[in-house]
Amino acid sequence: MSEHTDPLPLCRPSIGPEEIAAVTEVLASGWLTTGRQAAAFEAELAAFCAAPKTTCPPHAVAVSSATAGMHVTLHALGIGPGDEVVTPSLTWVSTVNSIVLTGATPVFADIDPHTLMVSAETIAPCLGPRTRLIVPVHFAGAPLDLDPIRKLAATHNIPLVEDAAHAIGAAYRGQRIGAQGTAIFSFHPIKNITTGEGGMVVSDDASLIERIRRLKFHGLGQDAYDRHTQGRAPQSEVQEPGWKYNLTDLAAALGRTQLRRLPEFIAARGRLAACYRQRLASVPGVRPLALPPWPHQHAWHLFIVRIDPKEAGVDRDTLLQRLQERGIGCGIHFKAVHLQSYYRQRLPQWLGRLPATEQCSEQILSLPLFPAMTEADVNRVAAAIQEATG
């Protein structure tokens, strides 16, 4: 049994004096809701994503969560009853929930079990006459192989929206995720940067961004800060019904500070991931996800291993329990959506049709990973895994 008793969490946000000072400044300013900080955060994140010398730079809209971002984006694209949206089942339920809540039907593409991501090859058989959107998911900080997926979408004239909740700071073939097309980021506390709760829709489609900006704030042409600073009428006209999905300045101030530290965070995560890979290389049946073979920069949002029960001598759920008993926080990202109780009943036709997804759903385990961890922490986790397997 490990001698360590202090709990090691799965994740912990990196909040320091700079973040606290930024939020305190907003509290003292008298303007707490969407305002100057939110506008600056949008501009800075769009600039962060932008490719050098791009002719069509991205624009960004801050929202209260990535789920809210997905909801307004689906609505802005006109997705609704009778439509089909292709996406993986191995993702957080919010992606599929958002599709279902529009009245559309999710169509699940299977994944590569080594990366947990869909590909053009797994998406293609899912396309049909009612397909109106493809929503692939970047996973654990690794980027999708986007060029073949983009080519497939363009060939069939189907829009593509990247679920980039895991991918802030990741890059594909020299371009940061968000530089091209449409991507939705999450700033939940588990993510590489956080605003407490929050998200961002980034797109090089200016008309789409304009509609998303309107929909995220009641369908008005301007938000409260815009009306205040531009001297506009106290009440703007509703151009179409919308929601209240705006991000507050309190959250945006935190996000701006976190964004400046993102390269530092990713570097720390990468060092820890390399240490994990080295320490776990000789542990039977415990396999880290494969690194994508295409040129990329990994953001190392999560460190995920697959547990082969025959080789490891223990199944995933038992190993998770044993690690928790040793004070080590673990997670499952994710139980496949089509295996969740609601979707098992609503979409039973998918059971057994996604072999890689179903196998990985039973085998994947997320290990602790956050910038403040040390190599000693990684060694502790690896030692505990060795003790708990075999």
Side-chain angles (χ1 to χ4, degrees), residues 81-359:
D83 296 337
E84 293 181 348
V85 179
V86 178
T87 196
S89 175
L90 198 74
T91 184
W92 181 231
V93 294
S94 65
T95 308
V96 180
N97 286 348
S98 296
I99 293 166
V100 169
L101 288 169
T102 68
T105 300
V107 175
F108 296 120
D110 210 357
I111 57 169
D112 178 340
H114 304 294
T115 65
L116 307 185
M117 292 188 285
V118 297
S119 65
E121 289 74 22
T122 63
I123 292 170
C126 299
L127 303 182
R130 296 199 297 160
T131 306
R132 294 293 179 266
L133 182 65
I134 301 170
V135 182
V137 179
H138 302 283
F139 215 97
L144 293 148
D145 191 7
L146 282 168
D147 282 352
I149 297 174
R150 287 168 174 163
K151 182 178 179 180
L152 179 67
T155 298
H156 292 270
N157 195 30
I158 299 170
L160 181 68
V161 172
E162 301 161 40
D163 182 331
H166 293 190
I168 185 70
Y172 172 75
R173 297 188 181 276
Q175 279 193 346
R176 282 187 174 134
I177 300 305
Q180 179 181 343
T182 300
I184 301 173
F185 296 110
S186 170
F187 307 131
H188 182 274
I190 195 177
K191 300 304 193 298
N192 284 23
I193 66 172
T194 186
T195 57
E197 293 280 0
M200 192 82 74
V201 183
V202 180
S203 180
D204 56 12
D205 184 336
S207 61
L208 177 63
I209 282 289
E210 181 181 0
R211 191 169 186 215
I212 289 170
R213 188 176 300 281
R214 185 166 65 242
L215 286 169
K216 64 95 177 177
F217 195 73
H218 304 296
L220 300 176
Q222 302 88 29
D223 62 26
Y225 186 72
D226 186 45
R227 297 197 305 275
H228 176 76
T229 58
Q230 302 300 322
R232 305 239 171 98
Q235 292 294 325
S236 294
E237 294 290 332
V238 173
Q239 299 180 27
E240 60 178 312
W243 294 272
K244 195 174 192 304
Y245 284 162
N246 55 302
L247 190 72
T248 69
D249 262 20
L250 285 168
L254 176 57
R256 293 181 68 195
T257 308
Q258 291 267 290
L259 182 61
R260 290 193 287 270
R261 299 179 63 194
L262 180 56
E264 161 200 339
F265 294 158
I266 291 176
R269 289 172 175 272
R271 289 191 294 269
L272 294 165
C275 186
Y276 265 131
R277 294 179 72 85
Q278 181 181 28
R279 290 287 283 109
L280 295 173
S282 60
V283 181
V286 179
R287 300 190 182 94
L289 297 185
L291 298 176
W294 46 88
H296 74 284
Q297 177 181 322
H298 206 301
W300 291 112
H301 165 49
L302 297 169
F303 192 86
I304 296 177
V305 293
R306 290 175 57 200
I307 309 303
D308 183 331
K310 292 182 180 179
E311 292 186 23
V314 64
D315 63 23
R316 187 272 314 278
D317 291 344
T318 302
L319 177 57
L320 186 153
Q321 181 180 351
R322 291 178 179 177
L323 291 176
Q324 289 177 335
E325 290 170 354
R326 289 163 168 80
I328 295 171
C330 300
I332 299 173
H333 297 90
F334 302 97
K335 179 178 180 178
V337 175
H338 77 285
L339 300 180
Q340 307 264 357
S341 59
Y342 174 82
Y343 290 103
R344 289 177 69 93
Q345 297 174 30
R346 180 185 174 94
L347 302 171
Q349 69 270 27
W350 288 102
L351 295 174
R353 289 177 56 188
L354 303 166
T357 295
E358 293 187 4
Q359 181 185 54

